[in-house]
Amino acid sequence: MKLSRIASFFSAIALTTALALTGAGAAHAEEAARSANPGPAGNNANPAYTALGDSYSAGVGAGAYDGASGACKRSAKAYPALWAAQHAPKSFTFAACSGARTGDVINGQLGSLKTTTGLVSISVGGNDAGFASTMSDCVLKGETACLNGVAKARTYIDKTLPAQLDKVYSAIAAKAPSARVVVVGYPRFYKLGGECSAGLSEKSRTAINGAADEINTVTAKRAADHGFAFGDVSAPFTGHEICSGDAWLHSVTLPVDESYHPTAAGQADGYLPAFASAA
C-alpha cells in the first residue's frame, strides 16, 4: 500500500474497470474450460475433478495464465491446477473464471459435471457481494465511504448471499450427486498493526477483514447444510496478509486486475493445503 495518492487513484479506477470487464467472460467459462486426462485412475484415489468458481480459484494474481482461457485468466499456478498436477485425477476440468458470480457458475460452468464426477472445488460469493466496488470505494473515497461500502457488502452477505449459494450448491449436487465438494473461502486482506505506513486507515482494514470473516462464516454454514466440506484459508494466510512484510496477497498493483488476489505463493502455500486437507 506504499503508493502515492495519485497512483492509488488511477490504479483504483483501473481496478474497477478491469474487474467489471473480466466478469463478462464468466458466463462463457464452460466454453473455454480445459479438460486433461493424464492417465487411468480409480474413482476414489484419482477422481474425475472439476474446479469451479471465481478469480480466487482461477488463479488471478498467480501468473502463468493459459492464453486459451482469455479473460477468465486461469493459471497453471492456481490451486486446482497444482492439485491436479500432484494427484493425476482421472480427468480435470478447469472451469473457474475471473469475475464469476453465483449465476455465472450455474449458467456457464457446470457442463462437465456428471454422475461420475468424484471431486469438485469452488470459491464464489465475493463478486456477488461487491468485492470490486467496495475495494475501489476504500482506495478512492476514504474511510467513511469504505466503512459504508463494507457495511453494504455485509448486509448482502447476511441477507441475500445465502440463497444464492444454495442455488449453486443445489445445482452442483444435482449434476454430480456422488462428488466430494469442497467450498474454499477467502483470506483476510490485512495484518492489523502491520508494516504499511500509508494507504487505508486501520479502521478500514479492520472492517474489510471483518467482511472476509463474515462471508466465510456464511459460506461455511451453507456448505455444511448441503453436506459439502469447507476449506478455510484464514489460518494458512495468517502472517501473510497485506502489511505483514511477507504478503501472499497483492495490494493495488499492475496489472490492476491482480489487486487483492493471492500471489503464486498464496495459491501454493495457502489455498492448496486448505483444499487438499478438505478433499
Side-chain angles (χ1 to χ4, degrees), residues 102-103 106 124 128 156 160-170:
T102 51
I106 292 172
V124 73
D128 295 71
Y156 183 94
T160 305
L161 185 60
Q164 299 302 108
L165 294 175
D166 283 340
K167 293 177 184 177
V168 175
Y169 299 163
S170 293

Side-chain angles (χ1 to χ4, degrees), residues 143-204:
E143 183 180 279
T144 298
C146 182
L147 297 179
N148 289 339
V150 171
K152 181 179 178 181
R154 291 189 69 160
T155 297
Y156 183 94
I157 290 167
D158 288 338
K159 297 186 179 300
T160 305
L161 185 60
Q164 299 302 108
L165 294 175
D166 283 340
K167 293 177 184 177
V168 175
Y169 299 163
S170 293
I172 292 171
K175 287 181 171 289
S178 300
R180 169 79 169 174
V181 181
V182 180
V183 179
V184 294
Y186 298 96
R188 298 185 185 97
F189 281 5
Y190 292 100
K191 178 176 174 59
L192 302 179
E195 298 183 6
C196 295
S197 59
L200 305 187
S201 70
E202 197 75 349
K203 194 170 184 179
S204 293

Side-chain angles (χ1 to χ4, degrees), residues 36-212:
N37 294 279
N43 289 333
N44 295 322
N46 301 92
Y49 170 36
T50 294
L52 309 172
D54 56 22
S55 54
Y56 278 68
S57 287
V60 174
Y65 303 117
D66 177 5
S69 70
C72 286
K73 296 191 76 168
R74 300 187 188 98
S75 171
K77 297 182 179 180
Y79 75 86
L82 295 176
W83 189 92
Q86 291 178 0
H87 293 83
K90 185 176 182 180
S91 65
F92 173 46
T93 301
F94 199 178
C97 186
S98 177
R101 300 186 180 194
T102 51
D104 298 313
V105 173
I106 292 172
N107 295 323
Q109 295 188 14
L110 305 184
S112 71
L113 298 185
K114 56 190 71 174
T115 56
T116 55
T117 300
L119 179 64
V120 175
S121 64
I122 182 170
S123 63
V124 73
N127 290 315
D128 295 71
F131 161 80
S133 60
T134 299
M135 293 310 300
S136 294
D137 284 348
C138 290
V139 173
L140 276 173
K141 300 180 181 180
E143 183 180 279
T144 298
C146 182
L147 297 179
N148 289 339
V150 171
K152 181 179 178 181
R154 291 189 69 160
T155 297
Y156 183 94
I157 290 167
D158 288 338
K159 297 186 179 300
T160 305
L161 185 60
Q164 299 302 108
L165 294 175
D166 283 340
K167 293 177 184 177
V168 175
Y169 299 163
S170 293
I172 292 171
K175 287 181 171 289
S178 300
R180 169 79 169 174
V181 181
V182 180
V183 179
V184 294
Y186 298 96
R188 298 185 185 97
F189 281 5
Y190 292 100
K191 178 176 174 59
L192 302 179
E195 298 183 6
C196 295
S197 59
L200 305 187
S201 70
E202 197 75 349
K203 194 170 184 179
S204 293
R205 292 169 183 156
T206 300
I208 292 166
N209 283 358

